[in-house]
Amino acid sequence: MNLLEEVMTAAEATEKWQMNPRTVQQSCTGYKGEKPRFTEDEARKAGRIWLVTRAGMERVFGPEPQHEE
């Protein structure tokens, strides 16, 4: 297992899961006073960029959709 494949930017995650970027960001920060949906082990801020784990994305949003090529 390549550990670098297990961590991605929030922007990359939104592309892979085909969702609105704001949804992942709000899951990192919390929304309207709610706690974040990701745990401290699943997401962290690196400068201005949120990093999320594949495991966190799968726990919160389900498996990555399969894309037809």
Side-chain angles (χ1 to χ4, degrees), residues 47-64:
R48 294 178 37 206
I49 298 173
W50 278 99
L51 300 173
V52 296
T53 64
R54 177 176 301 284
M57 286 296 294
E58 290 176 348
R59 182 184 66 77
V60 174
F61 299 110
E64 179 182 348

Side-chain angles (χ1 to χ4, degrees), residues 20-44:
N20 186 314
R22 192 80 177 131
T23 302
V24 175
Q25 183 180 1
Q26 287 174 340
S27 295
C28 293
T29 62
Y31 180 68
K32 292 190 175 184
E34 295 291 321
K35 292 200 276 187
R37 295 179 71 190
F38 291 117
T39 67
E40 291 180 5
D41 293 333
E42 296 171 337
R44 77 175 186 90

